[in-house]
Amino acid sequence: MGVGPSRLSENIQLYLGSIRDATDKKKLSGAEITHLVSILSEKQSSTLDKSKNDKFTEPLSTTRCKRFLITEEDQKQTNISKYFSMTSEFIHEGLWIDNGNLLGKKMISKRGLKLSSVHCMMGKSRSATISTAYLCTITGLSWLTVLNSLRSCREVVNPNEGFKEQLRLYEESGGFEVILFLFAWDIW
């Protein structure tokens, strides 16, 4: 049995989860997930999209929500930092912006807040790294502070050593600061 999706903040409708969470039709429609970031290996994404096509499973190629699909391995040499800016913009759009129009502090649907979710196979390494990058981008907090906070929401969070090093280097180079100003003004 999986951990289930984990809400990362009381103030932000961002969830971190596994492939099970991101392909469960009931969870996706019930929560009104509008944006999904999927980080899977090539083999995982092709296998999952072909293997289950039943009334309970939402295929990766769904049109129910917008999906940003990244095909990368969970290996320390994988360059995941090249996706930090793009995925941060995508997640932010899902949480705060509708069709390019800023709606203020909350994006409202007929049943409540719009949601974004980030997942990998287990909700442990790749998705935790991308979520950490996004939260660093909008808060200005250090990557280590954010990562430790994620661990309090989802105990299995444990990016591989290469991903942690990329977060550290990205922060040291000012990468999070470069796009911070694009996001900060509309959440306060």
Side-chain angles (χ1 to χ4, degrees):
M1 188 64 78
V3 173
S6 302
R7 185 169 174 181
L8 301 183
S9 167
E10 279 187 36
N11 300 320
I12 300 174
Q13 296 281 354
L14 178 61
Y15 288 80
L16 174 60
S18 68
I19 188 64
R20 182 178 295 156
D21 305 319
T23 57
D24 184 307
K25 282 185 180 182
K26 187 175 179 181
K27 288 179 187 176
L28 289 174
S29 63
E32 292 193 26
I33 299 289
T34 60
H35 289 65
L36 276 167
V37 177
S38 302
I39 312 119
L40 302 166
S41 70
E42 186 70 42
K43 183 178 179 182
Q44 289 166 339
S45 76
S46 64
T47 301
L48 286 166
D49 219 19
K50 294 174 188 170
S51 65
K52 283 195 172 181
N53 195 2
D54 57 40
K55 66 181 182 177
F56 304 108
T57 306
E58 190 71 38
L60 290 176
S61 59
T62 184
T63 57
R64 181 185 302 262
C65 55
K66 291 183 180 180
R67 187 181 299 264
F68 190 113
L69 178 61
I70 298 170
T71 51
E72 292 287 355
E73 298 287 336
D74 185 2
Q75 298 176 349
K76 65 181 183 179
Q77 69 271 18
T78 298
N79 181 8
I80 200 165
S81 65
K82 69 183 177 183
Y83 300 104
F84 290 170
S85 180
M86 292 180 287
T87 54
S88 289
E89 289 178 28
F90 182 82
I91 293 165
H92 200 71
E93 175 186 306
L95 293 171
W96 306 98
I97 301 170
D98 183 24
N99 298 323
N101 299 315
L102 186 62
L103 298 176
K105 285 196 172 196
K106 294 181 169 92
M107 187 172 158
I108 306 297
S109 73
K110 63 185 174 201
R111 289 182 16 201
L113 298 174
K114 293 292 185 181
L115 307 173
S116 286
S117 181
V118 182
H119 78 90
C120 56
M121 197 65 186
M122 296 176 59
K124 178 179 174 180
S125 182
R126 292 169 285 189
S127 58
T129 302
I130 294 296
S131 298
T132 298
Y134 173 70
L135 292 170
C136 287
T137 299
I138 65 166
T139 65
L141 295 171
S142 76
W143 73 270
L144 196 51
T145 299
V146 170
L147 185 61
N148 287 330
S149 178
L150 291 187
R151 287 181 176 133
S152 70
C153 301
R154 186 173 180 86
E155 291 179 6
V156 298
V157 165
N158 189 25
N160 73 48
E161 292 303 315
F163 292 174
K164 288 185 221 175
E165 180 66 5
Q166 289 176 60
L167 286 164
R168 184 187 68 75
L169 291 172
Y170 198 78
E171 178 179 271
E172 283 181 5
S173 72
F176 296 127
E177 294 170 17
V178 171
I179 53 179
L180 176 64
F181 77 94
L182 295 173
F183 301 129
W185 63 273
D186 64 65
I187 62 170
W188 302 113

